[in-house]
Amino acid sequence: MFLTPVVPHWPFQNMDTMFVRGLKRKCFDGEEDIEGTLAGIKAIPSYNLQRQSLLDMSLVKLQLCHMLVEPNLCRSVLIANTVRQIQEEMTQDGTWQMINTQSTGQASLDRLVSTDILCRSSRDQAEGKHVPAYGTFNKDFESDQAQDSSETMSTASSVQAPRNLQSNVWEMENPQENKGNFQKSLDQIFETLENKSPNSVEDLFSEVDNSYYDLDTMLTGMMSNTKMGHCDNLETFSTPTNTASNSNCKSDLNDLDHIVEILVES
Amino acid sequence: MEGESICEVDSGDGLGADIISTVEFNHTGELLATGDKGGRVVIFQREPESKNEPYNQGEYNVYSTFQSHEPEFDYLKSLEIEEKINKIKWLPQQNAAHSLLSTNDKTIKLWKITERDKRPEGYNLKDEEGKLKDLSTVTSLQVPVLKPMDLMVEVTPRRIFANGHTYHVNSISVNSDCETYMSADDLRINLWHLAITDRSFNIVDIKPANMEDLTEVITASEFHPHHCNLFVYSSSKGSLRLCDMRASALCDKHSKLYEEPEDPSNRSFFSEIISSVSDVKFSHSGRYMLTRDYLTVKVWDLNMETKPVETYQVHDYLRSKLCSLYENDCIFDKFECAWNGSDSVIMTGAYNNFFRMFDRNTKRDVTLEASRESSKPRAILKPRRVCVGGKRRKDDISVDSLDFTKKILHTAWHPTENIIAIAATNNLYIFQDKVNSEMH
């Protein structure tokens, strides 16, 4: 299902039900043998992925707040609170700072898949750029007022921990090797979203659309597969998103330069 | 309650500037003001009942139209200031003129509406066209006489209350003292005197020292209808704060905090968003408050802070669709709510041009639709039903076919009679309860 601006579809059928039932996902405990039970495998990745896409959606919304008219502060605050909630939960889970090392189970592969979707286009642009993404987010609030221009942009305390990691991440030579790192993916998202020009909103949205679509496919695929064909699922993703992202990459880089110019000047 | 359609006004060009953004009856119900996205105010007047034409009684016709606010550009922030009228509030009538306050995001204006239906004729020095007469032709003196003329409604801006708000004004409320009023934006509430425009008092300020710590905003506020020292404001976290201006100059500390604890079984990432209060209204009696959040309307007793005394589900079938509604931003829609004159029935809007009414005494509720097809003049409104699955009756609408672009955000109830005004995008519908109106 594709997203259209006017008539709402219900592409998030699974997500809607998931969030409504307040599905108690199993506490992710490294010692637990989650690969043992099929139910366990189904429950945890689905919830995490859906939570991740909710987070992505929220970040996109915050970014798209920049319009000609001042953004609605109430809406921004509510979305920001949602983002914080998700981040807090992810921090408690341990998924926030999880680094993919030993475990090769389904759970880690899911993170791999999700970061793959999200990072595919952003990775190329993201090399070596340390941008205070959350600072920009805070700037949304601060742009509302002239007299508080003396306030400096600083990162919110709730994301202090992952931000510290970010600098480590950026120093890594080959980001490809750190695929399973959720925190890195989040920062890349922040950075991608931050650097996207408003004109390429459609591009941004179309990329996001594809990944949601693929999430749906993946989720359906996972629910019905008795045998975990991880690689098969991965293949499903790589084909549609890859071409889209490659073609967008170059134009995005040009937009990126343009935007950086504008930001620097202002 | 059965509804009968009295009239429907369609501004017609559908360009978006005529999307109605607020609706308000005056204190007698004789006048109905609407504000739109283009900064215009249209005032309707009720035709007086006449025995000659009993079927025309109660119709509202256009009385006056004027441009209240113009689009502005804030050069400092490089942002446009929308001319959309966020709220209109009538002042109690103190003489022949009517006055109202209208506000956009930043500026509140006081407008005076006067009628002129006579003009003097028979001047000595001027002729009928206003040209000076040749004095030699004047042979006698006459006293000018007032002669009737076609009614002219004049609207003049009497006060402009500008530069009081950094954030977007969401509410205005006239105090029962008829001298002061308050205006609330996302983070602050100011108290103004109606005659003084260069000064206002800040009475609530919830702006944190560090904007990164901002987690809650003010969503609506209102003065108590009888106690001029009391007012209430609602927040995006679903709480209500009753403040007493006698307590201190800055009412950051509430006198009472009304909050319902969260239902843990319904907890989700959207819990906070759907608990955000979009509107708060005191009852006419002053004893209760009505609040609207995304899925419910709640009646609160001023004396009980722990939970509402009544909760009504407006469209609970949307609970399972919250993620999609978040995605298309509908979850941020701000619906208003209204009391009837006797505080026995409450009303609020929903999607698909539906609006809902709840009778507090009989506990019955009804869903009605504001649409052209069902609202020919004097047509009886048919109750609608949304089916969630399971048995589906004829004429039921399924949840998945609801039109979320057709939302009824703004509704108003006549202060004494069973007449309601419903704003459906750029159309205004006025419905009257036929049965009850015949009884008086």
Side-chain angles (χ1 to χ4, degrees), chain B residues 292-323:
Chain B
R292 173 70 154 99
D293 52 61
Y294 192 63
L295 297 178
T296 68
V297 278
K298 295 176 178 168
V299 177
W300 300 78
D301 186 324
L302 249 63
N303 300 316
M304 187 158 84
E305 300 165 76
T306 51
K307 60 179 176 147
V309 289
E310 293 156 32
T311 301
Y312 300 94
Q313 302 294 332
V314 180
H315 38 204
D316 201 56
Y317 44 78
L318 296 183
R319 197 177 285 274
S320 57
K321 310 282 184 194
L322 290 179
C323 194

PDB file of all heavy atoms in Angstrom, chain B residues 292-323:
ATOM      1  N   ARG B 292     -12.527  18.347  25.492  1.00  0.00           N
ATOM      2  CA  ARG B 292     -12.525  17.461  24.333  1.00  0.00           C
ATOM      3  C   ARG B 292     -11.090  17.019  24.105  1.00  0.00           C
ATOM      4  O   ARG B 292     -10.188  17.853  24.016  1.00  0.00           O
ATOM      5  CB  ARG B 292     -13.038  18.239  23.114  1.00  0.00           C
ATOM      6  CG  ARG B 292     -12.960  17.518  21.768  1.00  0.00           C
ATOM      7  CD  ARG B 292     -13.940  16.387  21.688  1.00  0.00           C
ATOM      8  NE  ARG B 292     -14.326  16.077  20.317  1.00  0.00           N
ATOM      9  CZ  ARG B 292     -13.794  15.082  19.602  1.00  0.00           C
ATOM     10  NH1 ARG B 292     -12.840  14.329  20.103  1.00  0.00           N
ATOM     11  NH2 ARG B 292     -14.232  14.849  18.383  1.00  0.00           N
ATOM     12  N   ASP B 293     -10.871  15.721  24.070  1.00  0.00           N
ATOM     13  CA  ASP B 293      -9.585  15.237  23.609  1.00  0.00           C
ATOM     14  C   ASP B 293      -9.863  14.441  22.345  1.00  0.00           C
ATOM     15  O   ASP B 293     -10.976  14.469  21.836  1.00  0.00           O
ATOM     16  CB  ASP B 293      -8.865  14.426  24.702  1.00  0.00           C
ATOM     17  CG  ASP B 293      -9.736  13.337  25.272  1.00  0.00           C
ATOM     18  OD1 ASP B 293     -10.144  12.435  24.505  1.00  0.00           O
ATOM     19  OD2 ASP B 293     -10.041  13.377  26.488  1.00  0.00           O
ATOM     20  N   TYR B 294      -8.889  13.729  21.831  1.00  0.00           N
ATOM     21  CA  TYR B 294      -9.073  13.196  20.488  1.00  0.00           C
ATOM     22  C   TYR B 294     -10.232  12.217  20.364  1.00  0.00           C
ATOM     23  O   TYR B 294     -10.974  12.248  19.384  1.00  0.00           O
ATOM     24  CB  TYR B 294      -7.782  12.543  19.989  1.00  0.00           C
ATOM     25  CG  TYR B 294      -7.825  12.247  18.519  1.00  0.00           C
ATOM     26  CD1 TYR B 294      -7.944  13.275  17.587  1.00  0.00           C
ATOM     27  CD2 TYR B 294      -7.777  10.940  18.032  1.00  0.00           C
ATOM     28  CE1 TYR B 294      -8.016  13.022  16.238  1.00  0.00           C
ATOM     29  CE2 TYR B 294      -7.834  10.679  16.675  1.00  0.00           C
ATOM     30  CZ  TYR B 294      -7.960  11.723  15.786  1.00  0.00           C
ATOM     31  OH  TYR B 294      -8.016  11.474  14.439  1.00  0.00           O
ATOM     32  N   LEU B 295     -10.416  11.389  21.365  1.00  0.00           N
ATOM     33  CA  LEU B 295     -11.447  10.356  21.234  1.00  0.00           C
ATOM     34  C   LEU B 295     -12.670  10.567  22.135  1.00  0.00           C
ATOM     35  O   LEU B 295     -13.676   9.906  21.944  1.00  0.00           O
ATOM     36  CB  LEU B 295     -10.852   8.967  21.542  1.00  0.00           C
ATOM     37  CG  LEU B 295      -9.745   8.471  20.617  1.00  0.00           C
ATOM     38  CD1 LEU B 295      -9.250   7.109  21.092  1.00  0.00           C
ATOM     39  CD2 LEU B 295     -10.234   8.361  19.180  1.00  0.00           C
ATOM     40  N   THR B 296     -12.567  11.436  23.108  1.00  0.00           N
ATOM     41  CA  THR B 296     -13.675  11.552  24.062  1.00  0.00           C
ATOM     42  C   THR B 296     -14.023  13.003  24.369  1.00  0.00           C
ATOM     43  O   THR B 296     -13.276  13.923  24.077  1.00  0.00           O
ATOM     44  CB  THR B 296     -13.330  10.890  25.416  1.00  0.00           C
ATOM     45  OG1 THR B 296     -12.305  11.663  26.049  1.00  0.00           O
ATOM     46  CG2 THR B 296     -12.861   9.459  25.251  1.00  0.00           C
ATOM     47  N   VAL B 297     -15.211  13.177  24.966  1.00  0.00           N
ATOM     48  CA  VAL B 297     -15.536  14.435  25.650  1.00  0.00           C
ATOM     49  C   VAL B 297     -15.766  14.075  27.107  1.00  0.00           C
ATOM     50  O   VAL B 297     -16.332  13.025  27.412  1.00  0.00           O
ATOM     51  CB  VAL B 297     -16.809  15.143  25.105  1.00  0.00           C
ATOM     52  CG1 VAL B 297     -16.508  15.942  23.875  1.00  0.00           C
ATOM     53  CG2 VAL B 297     -17.941  14.200  24.886  1.00  0.00           C
ATOM     54  N   LYS B 298     -15.316  14.963  27.981  1.00  0.00           N
ATOM     55  CA  LYS B 298     -15.428  14.669  29.410  1.00  0.00           C
ATOM     56  C   LYS B 298     -16.047  15.843  30.140  1.00  0.00           C
ATOM     57  O   LYS B 298     -15.760  16.998  29.819  1.00  0.00           O
ATOM     58  CB  LYS B 298     -14.034  14.396  30.004  1.00  0.00           C
ATOM     59  CG  LYS B 298     -13.390  13.148  29.448  1.00  0.00           C
ATOM     60  CD  LYS B 298     -11.984  12.939  29.962  1.00  0.00           C
ATOM     61  CE  LYS B 298     -11.444  11.628  29.370  1.00  0.00           C
ATOM     62  NZ  LYS B 298     -10.033  11.447  29.562  1.00  0.00           N
ATOM     63  N   VAL B 299     -16.879  15.528  31.109  1.00  0.00           N
ATOM     64  CA  VAL B 299     -17.458  16.550  31.963  1.00  0.00           C
ATOM     65  C   VAL B 299     -16.752  16.466  33.301  1.00  0.00           C
ATOM     66  O   VAL B 299     -16.678  15.402  33.904  1.00  0.00           O
ATOM     67  CB  VAL B 299     -18.976  16.313  32.150  1.00  0.00           C
ATOM     68  CG1 VAL B 299     -19.554  17.341  33.110  1.00  0.00           C
ATOM     69  CG2 VAL B 299     -19.692  16.378  30.809  1.00  0.00           C
ATOM     70  N   TRP B 300     -16.222  17.583  33.744  1.00  0.00           N
ATOM     71  CA  TRP B 300     -15.522  17.652  35.024  1.00  0.00           C
ATOM     72  C   TRP B 300     -16.320  18.502  35.992  1.00  0.00           C
ATOM     73  O   TRP B 300     -16.851  19.547  35.611  1.00  0.00           O
ATOM     74  CB  TRP B 300     -14.147  18.304  34.852  1.00  0.00           C
ATOM     75  CG  TRP B 300     -13.223  17.612  33.918  1.00  0.00           C
ATOM     76  CD1 TRP B 300     -13.242  17.656  32.544  1.00  0.00           C
ATOM     77  CD2 TRP B 300     -12.120  16.777  34.258  1.00  0.00           C
ATOM     78  NE1 TRP B 300     -12.230  16.898  32.026  1.00  0.00           N
ATOM     79  CE2 TRP B 300     -11.518  16.357  33.053  1.00  0.00           C
ATOM     80  CE3 TRP B 300     -11.570  16.348  35.476  1.00  0.00           C
ATOM     81  CZ2 TRP B 300     -10.400  15.513  33.029  1.00  0.00           C
ATOM     82  CZ3 TRP B 300     -10.456  15.526  35.451  1.00  0.00           C
ATOM     83  CH2 TRP B 300      -9.891  15.110  34.236  1.00  0.00           C
ATOM     84  N   ASP B 301     -16.366  18.055  37.231  1.00  0.00           N
ATOM     85  CA  ASP B 301     -16.967  18.852  38.296  1.00  0.00           C
ATOM     86  C   ASP B 301     -15.832  19.683  38.885  1.00  0.00           C
ATOM     87  O   ASP B 301     -14.777  19.159  39.215  1.00  0.00           O
ATOM     88  CB  ASP B 301     -17.572  17.903  39.333  1.00  0.00           C
ATOM     89  CG  ASP B 301     -18.347  18.653  40.414  1.00  0.00           C
ATOM     90  OD1 ASP B 301     -17.926  19.763  40.806  1.00  0.00           O
ATOM     91  OD2 ASP B 301     -19.372  18.135  40.873  1.00  0.00           O
ATOM     92  N   LEU B 302     -16.057  20.963  39.013  1.00  0.00           N
ATOM     93  CA  LEU B 302     -15.007  21.846  39.548  1.00  0.00           C
ATOM     94  C   LEU B 302     -14.529  21.402  40.914  1.00  0.00           C
ATOM     95  O   LEU B 302     -13.400  21.683  41.312  1.00  0.00           O
ATOM     96  CB  LEU B 302     -15.527  23.283  39.640  1.00  0.00           C
ATOM     97  CG  LEU B 302     -14.874  24.263  38.661  1.00  0.00           C
ATOM     98  CD1 LEU B 302     -15.181  23.861  37.240  1.00  0.00           C
ATOM     99  CD2 LEU B 302     -15.356  25.674  38.916  1.00  0.00           C
ATOM    100  N   ASN B 303     -15.406  20.693  41.630  1.00  0.00           N
ATOM    101  CA  ASN B 303     -15.036  20.275  42.974  1.00  0.00           C
ATOM    102  C   ASN B 303     -14.272  18.956  43.010  1.00  0.00           C
ATOM    103  O   ASN B 303     -13.838  18.538  44.074  1.00  0.00           O
ATOM    104  CB  ASN B 303     -16.296  20.136  43.827  1.00  0.00           C
ATOM    105  CG  ASN B 303     -17.040  21.463  43.914  1.00  0.00           C
ATOM    106  OD1 ASN B 303     -16.432  22.498  44.112  1.00  0.00           O
ATOM    107  ND2 ASN B 303     -18.343  21.421  43.732  1.00  0.00           N
ATOM    108  N   MET B 304     -14.124  18.307  41.865  1.00  0.00           N
ATOM    109  CA  MET B 304     -13.432  17.020  41.889  1.00  0.00           C
ATOM    110  C   MET B 304     -12.288  17.004  40.887  1.00  0.00           C
ATOM    111  O   MET B 304     -12.497  17.047  39.682  1.00  0.00           O
ATOM    112  CB  MET B 304     -14.401  15.881  41.574  1.00  0.00           C
ATOM    113  CG  MET B 304     -13.743  14.524  41.753  1.00  0.00           C
ATOM    114  SD  MET B 304     -14.931  13.235  42.007  1.00  0.00           S
ATOM    115  CE  MET B 304     -15.354  12.873  40.330  1.00  0.00           C
ATOM    116  N   GLU B 305     -11.104  16.921  41.418  1.00  0.00           N
ATOM    117  CA  GLU B 305      -9.912  17.020  40.574  1.00  0.00           C
ATOM    118  C   GLU B 305      -9.384  15.690  40.094  1.00  0.00           C
ATOM    119  O   GLU B 305      -8.544  15.642  39.194  1.00  0.00           O
ATOM    120  CB  GLU B 305      -8.795  17.718  41.362  1.00  0.00           C
ATOM    121  CG  GLU B 305      -9.164  19.114  41.806  1.00  0.00           C
ATOM    122  CD  GLU B 305      -8.210  19.628  42.881  1.00  0.00           C
ATOM    123  OE1 GLU B 305      -7.082  19.993  42.533  1.00  0.00           O
ATOM    124  OE2 GLU B 305      -8.605  19.650  44.062  1.00  0.00           O
ATOM    125  N   THR B 306      -9.841  14.614  40.690  1.00  0.00           N
ATOM    126  CA  THR B 306      -9.184  13.340  40.410  1.00  0.00           C
ATOM    127  C   THR B 306      -9.609  12.709  39.091  1.00  0.00           C
ATOM    128  O   THR B 306      -8.835  11.988  38.472  1.00  0.00           O
ATOM    129  CB  THR B 306      -9.464  12.342  41.537  1.00  0.00           C
ATOM    130  OG1 THR B 306     -10.875  12.313  41.747  1.00  0.00           O
ATOM    131  CG2 THR B 306      -8.757  12.768  42.803  1.00  0.00           C
ATOM    132  N   LYS B 307     -10.836  12.948  38.691  1.00  0.00           N
ATOM    133  CA  LYS B 307     -11.289  12.358  37.429  1.00  0.00           C
ATOM    134  C   LYS B 307     -12.553  13.065  36.977  1.00  0.00           C
ATOM    135  O   LYS B 307     -13.225  13.718  37.769  1.00  0.00           O
ATOM    136  CB  LYS B 307     -11.550  10.871  37.599  1.00  0.00           C
ATOM    137  CG  LYS B 307     -12.597  10.575  38.622  1.00  0.00           C
ATOM    138  CD  LYS B 307     -12.872   9.100  38.759  1.00  0.00           C
ATOM    139  CE  LYS B 307     -13.874   8.956  39.888  1.00  0.00           C
ATOM    140  NZ  LYS B 307     -14.807   7.931  39.802  1.00  0.00           N
ATOM    141  N   PRO B 308     -12.898  12.926  35.707  1.00  0.00           N
ATOM    142  CA  PRO B 308     -14.133  13.561  35.232  1.00  0.00           C
ATOM    143  C   PRO B 308     -15.347  12.831  35.791  1.00  0.00           C
ATOM    144  O   PRO B 308     -15.270  11.650  36.123  1.00  0.00           O
ATOM    145  CB  PRO B 308     -14.051  13.396  33.711  1.00  0.00           C
ATOM    146  CG  PRO B 308     -13.160  12.244  33.487  1.00  0.00           C
ATOM    147  CD  PRO B 308     -12.202  12.189  34.618  1.00  0.00           C
ATOM    148  N   VAL B 309     -16.454  13.533  35.868  1.00  0.00           N
ATOM    149  CA  VAL B 309     -17.663  12.868  36.358  1.00  0.00           C
ATOM    150  C   VAL B 309     -18.359  12.099  35.237  1.00  0.00           C
ATOM    151  O   VAL B 309     -19.088  11.152  35.488  1.00  0.00           O
ATOM    152  CB  VAL B 309     -18.655  13.854  37.034  1.00  0.00           C
ATOM    153  CG1 VAL B 309     -18.094  14.305  38.354  1.00  0.00           C
ATOM    154  CG2 VAL B 309     -18.949  15.042  36.153  1.00  0.00           C
ATOM    155  N   GLU B 310     -18.131  12.532  34.020  1.00  0.00           N
ATOM    156  CA  GLU B 310     -18.721  11.817  32.892  1.00  0.00           C
ATOM    157  C   GLU B 310     -17.730  11.779  31.740  1.00  0.00           C
ATOM    158  O   GLU B 310     -17.032  12.760  31.502  1.00  0.00           O
ATOM    159  CB  GLU B 310     -19.997  12.544  32.404  1.00  0.00           C
ATOM    160  CG  GLU B 310     -21.140  12.533  33.391  1.00  0.00           C
ATOM    161  CD  GLU B 310     -22.110  13.685  33.166  1.00  0.00           C
ATOM    162  OE1 GLU B 310     -22.295  14.103  32.000  1.00  0.00           O
ATOM    163  OE2 GLU B 310     -22.679  14.184  34.161  1.00  0.00           O
ATOM    164  N   THR B 311     -17.719  10.652  31.051  1.00  0.00           N
ATOM    165  CA  THR B 311     -16.874  10.510  29.864  1.00  0.00           C
ATOM    166  C   THR B 311     -17.717   9.929  28.754  1.00  0.00           C
ATOM    167  O   THR B 311     -18.433   8.950  28.962  1.00  0.00           O
ATOM    168  CB  THR B 311     -15.682   9.565  30.143  1.00  0.00           C
ATOM    169  OG1 THR B 311     -14.920  10.083  31.220  1.00  0.00           O
ATOM    170  CG2 THR B 311     -14.787   9.439  28.909  1.00  0.00           C
ATOM    171  N   TYR B 312     -17.654  10.553  27.589  1.00  0.00           N
ATOM    172  CA  TYR B 312     -18.425  10.068  26.447  1.00  0.00           C
ATOM    173  C   TYR B 312     -17.468   9.763  25.298  1.00  0.00           C
ATOM    174  O   TYR B 312     -16.592  10.564  24.998  1.00  0.00           O
ATOM    175  CB  TYR B 312     -19.440  11.130  26.004  1.00  0.00           C
ATOM    176  CG  TYR B 312     -20.418  11.503  27.090  1.00  0.00           C
ATOM    177  CD1 TYR B 312     -20.177  12.598  27.913  1.00  0.00           C
ATOM    178  CD2 TYR B 312     -21.582  10.758  27.307  1.00  0.00           C
ATOM    179  CE1 TYR B 312     -21.066  12.942  28.924  1.00  0.00           C
ATOM    180  CE2 TYR B 312     -22.466  11.095  28.314  1.00  0.00           C
ATOM    181  CZ  TYR B 312     -22.208  12.186  29.128  1.00  0.00           C
ATOM    182  OH  TYR B 312     -23.083  12.510  30.132  1.00  0.00           O
ATOM    183  N   GLN B 313     -17.679   8.618  24.681  1.00  0.00           N
ATOM    184  CA  GLN B 313     -16.830   8.215  23.555  1.00  0.00           C
ATOM    185  C   GLN B 313     -17.359   8.870  22.288  1.00  0.00           C
ATOM    186  O   GLN B 313     -18.516   8.676  21.925  1.00  0.00           O
ATOM    187  CB  GLN B 313     -16.842   6.693  23.384  1.00  0.00           C
ATOM    188  CG  GLN B 313     -16.376   5.927  24.608  1.00  0.00           C
ATOM    189  CD  GLN B 313     -14.903   6.164  24.912  1.00  0.00           C
ATOM    190  OE1 GLN B 313     -14.117   6.440  24.018  1.00  0.00           O
ATOM    191  NE2 GLN B 313     -14.534   6.056  26.185  1.00  0.00           N
ATOM    192  N   VAL B 314     -16.525   9.627  21.647  1.00  0.00           N
ATOM    193  CA  VAL B 314     -16.968  10.281  20.414  1.00  0.00           C
ATOM    194  C   VAL B 314     -16.826   9.343  19.231  1.00  0.00           C
ATOM    195  O   VAL B 314     -17.760   9.139  18.463  1.00  0.00           O
ATOM    196  CB  VAL B 314     -16.158  11.567  20.149  1.00  0.00           C
ATOM    197  CG1 VAL B 314     -16.625  12.233  18.872  1.00  0.00           C
ATOM    198  CG2 VAL B 314     -16.265  12.517  21.318  1.00  0.00           C
ATOM    199  N   HIS B 315     -15.645   8.792  19.066  1.00  0.00           N
ATOM    200  CA  HIS B 315     -15.419   7.853  17.970  1.00  0.00           C
ATOM    201  C   HIS B 315     -14.331   6.861  18.393  1.00  0.00           C
ATOM    202  O   HIS B 315     -13.218   6.891  17.864  1.00  0.00           O
ATOM    203  CB  HIS B 315     -15.074   8.542  16.655  1.00  0.00           C
ATOM    204  CG  HIS B 315     -14.188   9.762  16.794  1.00  0.00           C
ATOM    205  ND1 HIS B 315     -14.182  10.760  15.836  1.00  0.00           N
ATOM    206  CD2 HIS B 315     -13.301  10.146  17.724  1.00  0.00           C
ATOM    207  CE1 HIS B 315     -13.310  11.684  16.197  1.00  0.00           C
ATOM    208  NE2 HIS B 315     -12.766  11.358  17.333  1.00  0.00           N
ATOM    209  N   ASP B 316     -14.703   5.985  19.311  1.00  0.00           N
ATOM    210  CA  ASP B 316     -13.739   5.052  19.847  1.00  0.00           C
ATOM    211  C   ASP B 316     -13.236   4.073  18.795  1.00  0.00           C
ATOM    212  O   ASP B 316     -12.196   3.462  18.957  1.00  0.00           O
ATOM    213  CB  ASP B 316     -14.336   4.288  21.041  1.00  0.00           C
ATOM    214  CG  ASP B 316     -13.258   3.693  21.923  1.00  0.00           C
ATOM    215  OD1 ASP B 316     -12.393   4.467  22.385  1.00  0.00           O
ATOM    216  OD2 ASP B 316     -13.253   2.468  22.122  1.00  0.00           O
ATOM    217  N   TYR B 317     -14.002   3.934  17.699  1.00  0.00           N
ATOM    218  CA  TYR B 317     -13.573   3.007  16.643  1.00  0.00           C
ATOM    219  C   TYR B 317     -12.264   3.472  15.992  1.00  0.00           C
ATOM    220  O   TYR B 317     -11.639   2.733  15.257  1.00  0.00           O
ATOM    221  CB  TYR B 317     -14.663   2.853  15.564  1.00  0.00           C
ATOM    222  CG  TYR B 317     -15.306   4.158  15.135  1.00  0.00           C
ATOM    223  CD1 TYR B 317     -14.660   5.032  14.253  1.00  0.00           C
ATOM    224  CD2 TYR B 317     -16.558   4.532  15.615  1.00  0.00           C
ATOM    225  CE1 TYR B 317     -15.247   6.222  13.868  1.00  0.00           C
ATOM    226  CE2 TYR B 317     -17.150   5.730  15.239  1.00  0.00           C
ATOM    227  CZ  TYR B 317     -16.488   6.572  14.371  1.00  0.00           C
ATOM    228  OH  TYR B 317     -17.077   7.755  13.999  1.00  0.00           O
ATOM    229  N   LEU B 318     -11.857   4.696  16.283  1.00  0.00           N
ATOM    230  CA  LEU B 318     -10.589   5.164  15.736  1.00  0.00           C
ATOM    231  C   LEU B 318      -9.389   4.724  16.576  1.00  0.00           C
ATOM    232  O   LEU B 318      -8.244   4.916  16.173  1.00  0.00           O
ATOM    233  CB  LEU B 318     -10.579   6.695  15.636  1.00  0.00           C
ATOM    234  CG  LEU B 318     -11.582   7.328  14.683  1.00  0.00           C
ATOM    235  CD1 LEU B 318     -11.391   8.833  14.664  1.00  0.00           C
ATOM    236  CD2 LEU B 318     -11.429   6.768  13.281  1.00  0.00           C
ATOM    237  N   ARG B 319      -9.669   4.137  17.727  1.00  0.00           N
ATOM    238  CA  ARG B 319      -8.571   3.769  18.620  1.00  0.00           C
ATOM    239  C   ARG B 319      -7.604   2.787  17.968  1.00  0.00           C
ATOM    240  O   ARG B 319      -6.404   2.792  18.230  1.00  0.00           O
ATOM    241  CB  ARG B 319      -9.128   3.185  19.933  1.00  0.00           C
ATOM    242  CG  ARG B 319      -8.133   3.150  21.063  1.00  0.00           C
ATOM    243  CD  ARG B 319      -8.772   2.639  22.339  1.00  0.00           C
ATOM    244  NE  ARG B 319      -9.636   3.635  22.954  1.00  0.00           N
ATOM    245  CZ  ARG B 319      -9.219   4.586  23.786  1.00  0.00           C
ATOM    246  NH1 ARG B 319      -7.957   4.664  24.095  1.00  0.00           N
ATOM    247  NH2 ARG B 319     -10.068   5.444  24.296  1.00  0.00           N
ATOM    248  N   SER B 320      -8.162   1.937  17.113  1.00  0.00           N
ATOM    249  CA  SER B 320      -7.284   0.962  16.475  1.00  0.00           C
ATOM    250  C   SER B 320      -6.605   1.526  15.230  1.00  0.00           C
ATOM    251  O   SER B 320      -5.842   0.826  14.575  1.00  0.00           O
ATOM    252  CB  SER B 320      -8.091  -0.277  16.101  1.00  0.00           C
ATOM    253  OG  SER B 320      -9.161   0.117  15.267  1.00  0.00           O
ATOM    254  N   LYS B 321      -6.903   2.766  14.911  1.00  0.00           N
ATOM    255  CA  LYS B 321      -6.329   3.362  13.697  1.00  0.00           C
ATOM    256  C   LYS B 321      -5.358   4.485  14.020  1.00  0.00           C
ATOM    257  O   LYS B 321      -5.007   5.278  13.160  1.00  0.00           O
ATOM    258  CB  LYS B 321      -7.463   3.964  12.840  1.00  0.00           C
ATOM    259  CG  LYS B 321      -8.621   3.063  12.573  1.00  0.00           C
ATOM    260  CD  LYS B 321      -8.310   2.068  11.509  1.00  0.00           C
ATOM    261  CE  LYS B 321      -9.516   1.218  11.178  1.00  0.00           C
ATOM    262  NZ  LYS B 321      -9.149   0.049  10.393  1.00  0.00           N
ATOM    263  N   LEU B 322      -4.974   4.557  15.265  1.00  0.00           N
ATOM    264  CA  LEU B 322      -4.205   5.734  15.693  1.00  0.00           C
ATOM    265  C   LEU B 322      -2.912   5.910  14.924  1.00  0.00           C
ATOM    266  O   LEU B 322      -2.493   7.033  14.645  1.00  0.00           O
ATOM    267  CB  LEU B 322      -3.918   5.654  17.196  1.00  0.00           C
ATOM    268  CG  LEU B 322      -5.144   5.845  18.084  1.00  0.00           C
ATOM    269  CD1 LEU B 322      -4.749   5.715  19.547  1.00  0.00           C
ATOM    270  CD2 LEU B 322      -5.792   7.206  17.841  1.00  0.00           C
ATOM    271  N   CYS B 323      -2.277   4.808  14.577  1.00  0.00           N
ATOM    272  CA  CYS B 323      -1.007   4.947  13.876  1.00  0.00           C
ATOM    273  C   CYS B 323      -1.206   5.600  12.516  1.00  0.00           C
ATOM    274  O   CYS B 323      -0.460   6.504  12.129  1.00  0.00           O
ATOM    275  CB  CYS B 323      -0.336   3.593  13.728  1.00  0.00           C
ATOM    276  SG  CYS B 323       1.382   3.774  13.241  1.00  0.00           S
TER     277      CYS B 323
END
